[in-house]
């Protein structure tokens, strides 16, 4: 075989192994390697101060518990104080954290006038802040042309503007300290626009724009920015979903038998991504991971597949059922 033959074969081998990895992996290839070879870095979270918003349920709750396992000190924010107390107890139960190591800071994050005071409370209590996790907002199941404008505005308020406001306050502090890490929960819907979640996809794409710009602006600083993009995860996201109508929620929940990534696995991968300072990570079970790669690298093929498979199949991949009936 001549030199071109060798190069060609190596290239084919590379493509082939990549494809195999994508078939078995529940996350993107870089994160997969980090989760195997970069695990030790998780120990550096010990005694770091981590502020998690949306910590009372879903992925936020799981991320909080994982940080507690690695000995990080925690600030928990969400609206419901009772639920935060419950999460705090779970965090302290592992014996690595004392009462003072977990600060409960109930707040409605859309009330941006409270952000500065809340941030000062964190510094008062811990004297420092190392990591901010802007956790994912509410999702949506709706038909594009029926979405009412107040729904769009409310979702941008919640998923975009409140996050920006808090990140800006914290960013100024990180820049003064010359270190820090901001992570935000986006979604696979921030990579592929998902049908029947127009506003949701819109808010997630907006976050990618805002934080992508921030990453480039601060490229020479030592401040980490990680965009976490989970696909379907077992969580109580569905009942709180927005629909098309202002003030309405979807109501039904997932079944525990639904084929989704567990909250624990998702949280573990999120921590690996942050510990290894990865810029953007994707997490989803087969075949969604493969479909995500297709949409990004072969958009034409993925649109063609969508046409062939049909919209109900896509809904089933996401929710294991058809959540939005079309007429
Ligand atoms: C907070 O959570 C508790 C326990 O789940 C629930 O009973 C209560 O209604 C919630 N409060 C609000 C304001 O949602
Ligand atoms: C794929 O899509 C791109 C952008 O929409 C277009 O420019 C290109 O011609 C398409 N390729 C094929 C083979 O259809
Ligand atoms: C920091 C911040 O405001 N985060 C919020 C981002 O948006 C979602 C929307 O629900 C909130 O849950 C987060 O707390």
């Amino acid at each position: 075989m001549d030199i071109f033959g060798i190069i060609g074969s190596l290239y084919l081998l590379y493509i082939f192994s990549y494809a195999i990895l994508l078939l078995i992996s529940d996350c993107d290839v870089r994160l997969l390697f980090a989760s195997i070879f970069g695990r030790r870095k998780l120990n550096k979270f010990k005694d770091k101060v981590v502020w998690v918003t949306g910590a009372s349920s879903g992925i936020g709750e799981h991320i909080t518990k994982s940080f507690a396992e690695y000995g990080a000190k925690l600030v928990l924010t969400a609206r419901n104080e009772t639920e935060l107390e419950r999460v705090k107890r779970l965090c302290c139960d592992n014996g690595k954290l004392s009462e003072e190591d977990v600060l409960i800071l109930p707040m409605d994050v859309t009330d941006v006038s409270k952000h500065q005071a809340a941030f000062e409370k964190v510094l008062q209590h811990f004297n420092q802040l190392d990591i901010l996790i802007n956790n994912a907002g509410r999702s949506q199941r709706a038909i594009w042309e029926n979405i009412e404008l107040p729904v769009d505005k409310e979702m941008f308020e919640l998923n975009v503007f409140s996050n920006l406001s808090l990140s800006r306050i914290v960013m100024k502090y990180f820049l003064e300290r010359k270190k820090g890490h901001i992570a935000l929960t986006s979604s696979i819907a921030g990579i592929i626009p998902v049908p029947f979640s127009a506003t949701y996809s819109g808010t997630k794409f907006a976050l990618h724009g805002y934080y992508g710009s921030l990453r480039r602006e601060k490229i020479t600083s030592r401040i980490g920015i990680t965009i976490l993009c989970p696909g379907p995860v077992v969580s109580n996201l569905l009942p709180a979903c927005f629909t098309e109508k202002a003030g309405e929620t979807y109501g039904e929940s997932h079944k525990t038998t639904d084929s989704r990534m567990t909250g624990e696995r998702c949280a573990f991968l999120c921590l690996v991504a942050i510990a290894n300072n990865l810029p953007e990570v994707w997490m989803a079970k087969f075949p969604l991971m493969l479909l995500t790669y297709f949409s990004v690298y072969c958009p034409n093929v993925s649109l063609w597949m969508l046409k062939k498979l049909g919209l109900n199949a896509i809904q089933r991949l996401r929710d294991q059922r058809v959540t939005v009936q079309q007429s």
Side-chain angles (χ1 to χ4, degrees):
M1 212 173 353
D2 64 7
I3 180 83
F4 294 109
I6 294 172
I7 293 175
S9 319
L10 284 179
Y11 186 62
L12 283 181
L13 185 68
Y14 170 76
I15 304 257
F16 184 70
S17 357
Y18 214 95
I20 297 288
L21 278 179
L22 283 184
L23 286 178
I24 56 169
S25 175
D26 58 357
C27 58
D28 68 82
V29 172
R30 197 167 166 199
L31 180 57
L32 178 70
F33 281 115
S35 73
I36 299 165
F37 303 109
R39 286 178 100 107
R40 259 180 320 144
K41 293 202 178 143
L42 290 172
N43 295 321
K44 76 178 182 194
F45 289 138
K46 184 157 173 37
D47 294 328
K48 290 279 188 305
V49 179
V50 183
W51 187 358
V52 185
T53 67
S56 66
S57 61
I59 298 178
E61 177 181 342
H62 286 290
I63 289 181
T64 306
K65 284 189 277 191
S66 296
F67 271 117
E69 267 162 44
Y70 289 98
K73 298 179 177 168
L74 291 159
V75 185
L76 311 183
T77 287
R79 277 175 305 181
N80 193 322
E81 191 166 356
T82 325
E83 288 291 307
L84 287 179
E85 287 288 351
R86 179 184 61 80
V87 177
K88 174 173 179 169
R89 249 176 288 124
L90 291 175
C91 289
C92 291
D93 273 353
N94 70 15
K96 288 186 183 144
L97 297 177
S98 67
E99 284 286 311
E100 292 83 65
D101 292 338
V102 185
L103 173 67
I104 286 187
L105 208 56
M107 131 171 116
D108 180 351
V109 289
T110 55
D111 187 355
V112 294
S113 66
K114 303 258 166 67
H115 287 182
Q116 185 68 39
F119 170 67
E120 273 153 25
K121 238 188 204 160
V122 173
L123 287 195
Q124 247 173 38
H125 190 92
F126 287 117
N127 253 320
Q128 73 185 67
L129 175 66
D130 300 289
I131 303 172
L132 170 70
I133 316 278
N134 280 320
N135 179 49
R138 282 161 64 188
S139 189
Q140 182 188 38
R141 300 290 180 272
I143 293 178
W144 200 94
E145 63 277 20
N146 297 342
I147 300 173
E148 294 171 354
L149 204 52
V151 172
D152 293 296
K153 290 190 172 158
E154 197 187 334
M155 278 189 89
F156 268 83
E157 210 60 67
L158 194 66
N159 288 5
V160 182
F161 301 134
S162 67
N163 287 283
L164 288 179
S165 153
L166 194 59
S167 292
R168 283 188 180 133
I169 291 171
V170 169
M171 196 66 194
K172 285 178 193 145
Y173 164 79
F174 283 168
L175 285 169
E176 263 169 40
R177 278 185 94 204
K178 297 195 167 54
K179 61 176 179 185
H181 202 121
I182 292 184
L184 57 143
T185 323
S186 173
S187 160
I188 290 290
I191 314 284
I192 326 169
V194 179
F196 307 114
S197 295
T199 320
Y200 183 67
S201 293
T203 61
K204 295 305 183 188
F205 269 71
L207 288 174
H208 282 247
Y210 269 111
Y211 287 87
S213 175
L214 173 66
R215 188 198 324 288
R216 284 162 179 80
E217 228 172 280
K218 309 296 176 217
I219 194 93
T220 53
S221 75
R222 288 181 54 219
I223 294 160
I225 292 156
T226 298
I227 305 185
L228 309 160
C229 305
V233 169
V234 185
S235 80
N236 44 5
L237 164 149
L238 206 47
C241 264
F242 280 93
T243 62
E244 299 133 357
K245 301 215 164 28
E248 187 181 275
T249 53
Y250 181 72
E252 277 179 57
S253 21
H254 292 296
K255 299 187 188 68
T256 45
T257 51
D258 283 358
S259 149
R260 310 184 126 231
M261 182 181 274
T262 65
E264 287 78 12
R265 172 73 180 161
C266 177
F268 168 75
L269 289 174
C270 290
L271 263 65
V272 167
I274 297 166
N276 289 277
N277 197 9
L278 302 182
E280 181 178 307
V281 293
W282 307 341
M283 300 158 258
K285 283 179 102 170
F286 177 85
L288 282 178
M289 200 67 262
L290 199 60
L291 291 180
T292 307
Y293 269 82
F294 258 114
S295 310
V296 172
Y297 295 107
C298 322
N300 306 13
V301 179
S302 97
L303 285 176
W304 176 81
M305 284 193 326
L306 178 62
K307 211 170 178 175
K308 292 292 161 210
L309 282 173
L311 287 165
N312 286 352
I314 296 298
Q315 293 201 57
R316 279 194 203 96
L317 275 179
R318 187 182 186 194
D319 288 327
Q320 284 71 50
R321 75 179 93 154
V322 177
T323 48
V324 178
Q325 294 290 351
Q326 291 163 288
S327 41

